[in-house]
Amino acid sequence: LCHLVSALVPLQSCQCLAWKPRPIVVWGAESQHVVAGYSDGTIRVFSISRTEMELKMHPHAVALTAIAYSTDGEMILSGGKDGLVAVSSPRTGMTIRILTDHKGSPITVLQCTRKQYRDFGVEGGELWLATSLDRRVSVWASDWLKDKCELLDWLSFPAPADPKGLGSLPPSLAAFCPWEHGTLVYIGFGMQKEALFYSLRKKQVVEKISLPYFATSLSLSPAARFMAVGFGERLLRLLHCPASDAQDYAGHDDTVHLCRFSPSGRRLLTASHSAVLVWELAGP
């Protein structure tokens, strides 16, 4: 995959990518499309089976830093280094919406999840979140077919004014919690080294988990109450939530900048500068 997106676009750097969700009717089949965001502000959709680029769009004027498909695969959400979020249609190649709420700070995470509007009293078939480096998280309810996108919540997390001993700020990371509907997990530079569980219904932090360092990557298992956290200290921590058990692994030679559970939750992919590791999770 890395060879494909680099070989077909040799003069640009791929900054982020995402697999297209598999249709529910053929859930057993593997998705054959991937979208990639590049340093020149372009988005490119690739066919894996045909090994070719199918679509190129240019919704950003700066490098992309995050990208995601909507849950039905009908829209592409992309975030740039300048904090702008674009919503584009891979069917028409048009950008239908630009969101400026995070303007001025690079987007670090975009994630979509299936939700019904009845969950929160707003209209829309899915929720999605955007996270920026300045420790802000916005949560939205959307129905793209009806051109509806409504801000559901806005979170700002405090941090020391003058960080010392850090070459660069750790990323701000957020993810919807698969096993606690209506809850998201946030990790970032702050007053404490911790993971925060925030309830969208209660509008407050409902749980805190202490961490040994500021995190550089985060993933939550879709199949069990497991959370994987990577650190700049070449450490991977696997937590069983609530935080009754934690296991640390030191198999990396550099910052663990990527953690990603497989859809089954049985495997965990982690990556550092020169190593990609696949972990097999034991147990039920």
Side-chain angles (χ1 to χ4, degrees):
L1 179 58
C2 293
H3 175 73
L4 170 65
V5 298
S6 59
L8 295 179
V9 192
L11 300 180
Q12 297 298 329
S13 173
C14 179
Q15 305 292 304
C16 47
L17 56 84
W19 285 96
K20 183 177 181 180
R22 295 169 292 182
I24 296 177
V25 293
V26 288
W27 189 248
E30 183 175 306
S31 174
Q32 292 297 312
H33 289 88
V34 66
V35 63
Y38 286 84
S39 53
D40 62 351
T42 59
I43 293 172
R44 292 170 167 89
V45 177
F46 297 91
S47 168
I48 303 302
S49 58
R50 291 196 294 270
T51 321
E52 65 181 19
M53 184 177 71
E54 292 188 345
L55 177 66
K56 175 183 175 182
M57 297 179 283
H58 203 158
H60 297 271
V62 298
L64 271 77
T65 51
I67 200 162
Y69 271 100
S70 61
T71 54
D72 59 6
E74 293 299 315
M75 293 294 168
I76 295 172
L77 285 71
S78 55
K81 192 174 181 180
D82 56 3
L84 300 186
V85 175
V87 182
S88 307
S89 169
R91 288 185 180 273
T92 65
M94 301 293 291
T95 296
I96 64 170
R97 188 181 291 261
I98 297 288
L99 300 168
T100 61
D101 302 73
H102 290 269
K103 186 177 181 179
S105 184
I107 301 298
T108 53
V109 177
L110 290 168
Q111 187 192 10
C112 302
T113 186
R114 276 185 213 280
K115 293 288 180 182
Q116 297 299 319
Y117 69 91
R118 299 181 187 87
D119 288 352
F120 301 99
V122 294
E123 191 169 352
E126 79 175 15
L127 294 184
W128 63 275
L129 64 78
T131 308
S132 49
L133 188 60
D134 57 0
R135 303 172 304 280
R136 295 185 295 169
V137 182
S138 59
V139 183
W140 307 77
S142 61
D143 187 336
W144 302 120
L145 294 179
K146 297 181 180 179
D147 194 29
K148 291 185 177 180
C149 184
E150 181 177 347
L151 182 64
L152 182 65
D153 209 337
W154 181 266
L155 306 146
S156 296
F157 295 92
D162 184 21
K164 295 179 180 179
L166 293 173
S168 60
L169 288 180
S172 301
L173 306 169
F176 290 111
C177 184
W179 60 81
E180 289 289 347
H181 295 304
T183 300
L184 62 84
V185 178
Y186 171 83
I187 293 179
F189 179 66
M191 309 303 291
Q192 304 292 333
K193 302 177 181 71
E194 59 189 2
L196 304 176
F197 286 71
Y198 178 87
S199 170
L200 293 168
R201 292 188 179 89
K202 297 180 180 179
K203 305 289 186 182
Q204 64 183 32
V205 173
V206 294
E207 184 182 355
K208 298 180 180 180
I209 297 178
S210 297
L211 300 173
Y213 311 103
F214 289 117
T216 53
S217 54
L218 167 70
S219 184
L220 279 70
S221 170
R225 291 174 172 264
F226 282 108
M227 178 170 66
V229 185
F231 302 98
E233 290 72 16
R234 300 178 290 179
L235 183 72
L236 171 70
R237 172 164 288 192
L238 187 64
L239 290 147
H240 187 270
C241 302
S244 57
D245 185 32
Q247 294 176 301
D248 290 337
Y249 302 93
H252 286 279
D253 59 356
D254 206 334
T255 297
V256 184
H257 62 76
L258 175 71
C259 298
R260 193 75 76 241
F261 279 101
S262 65
S264 68
R266 292 290 187 179
R267 290 182 176 86
L268 174 67
L269 177 76
T270 61
S272 60
H273 174 71
S274 59
V276 177
L277 302 181
V278 180
W279 308 79
E280 189 84 23
L281 275 68

